[in-house]
Amino acid sequence: MITRDSFPCIIRDISRRNFFLMIVVRKSAERGHANYGWLDTYYTFSFNTYYDPRFMGFRALRVINEDTIAPGMGFGTHGHADMEIITYVTHGALAHKDSTGGAEILRPHEVQRMTAGTGIQHSEFNASDTEETHLLQIWILPERKGLEPGYEQTYFAPEEKKNRLRLVASRTGDEGSVKINQDVSLYASLLDAGETVEHDLAENRYAWLQIVKGKVELNGVGLNAGDGAAVSEEKVLQIKADEDSEFLLFDLN
């Protein structure tokens, strides 16, 4: 897990009343990387053959992989267990099939949640023979093991995310968000240049901000596409777009 000692550079670390206000940045260029020809992928946290004991996850957040899949290629049938898996496509289309009977095409502005639970088999392929598919695959540790496998997919129109934080995944399924089995709230936003959104972080809550595209400032800290930021002991998160941007914000226990 990320701690104060995980990063060579702590962006903000201000002692105040025996607390540390802290935002630490995981730079895009410092992530793990692998290119298999059909798959070009960047690992925010340790995954597969990439291992760094400093970056094993953050709170319940275990994986953020940024994948680009070549036309007509993909992941053959394989298994998962005891994990909440969220897929967020930003370009192209992803064909999904799993052992619960789910068979869907996932496109931009749709969010897919798969509960691996006691065990699930699935495959994922680029649904196009001519263009690449770009996506974020996110793994969240569930609140308990042995859950019944499940699948959910929901479309969130761009205007719902325009210059606001749109809840897209949550423990309770509020506001039409997909339901995940962990005390995590995931927000998506499309923020125009010059616009700002704010999020109140309750006591003993943490956050992770992942920049999909563009350039933003998080409480004055600059972040570019592919960057992530771990947040602790901040009461209010202010996110300002320096250019048209897209990002995901995780509110974690």
Side-chain angles (χ1 to χ4, degrees), residues 102-121:
E104 302 286 347
I105 302 293
L106 184 66
R107 295 181 173 87
H109 308 297
E110 291 181 301
V111 174
Q112 176 198 91
R113 182 271 303 166
M114 188 172 66
T115 296
T118 54
I120 195 168
Q121 297 284 319

Side-chain angles (χ1 to χ4, degrees), residues 83-101:
M83 195 67 67
E84 299 292 289
I85 300 174
I86 295 174
T87 303
Y88 187 86
V89 173
T90 63
H91 177 79
L94 187 71
H96 167 93
K97 186 179 292 187
D98 66 56
S99 54
T100 70

Side-chain angles (χ1 to χ4, degrees), residues 167-183:
L167 185 67
V168 297
S170 67
R171 189 183 198 179
T172 57
D174 287 349
E175 301 177 27
S177 60
V178 300
K179 188 174 181 179
I180 54 176
N181 294 284
Q182 182 53 269
D183 186 10

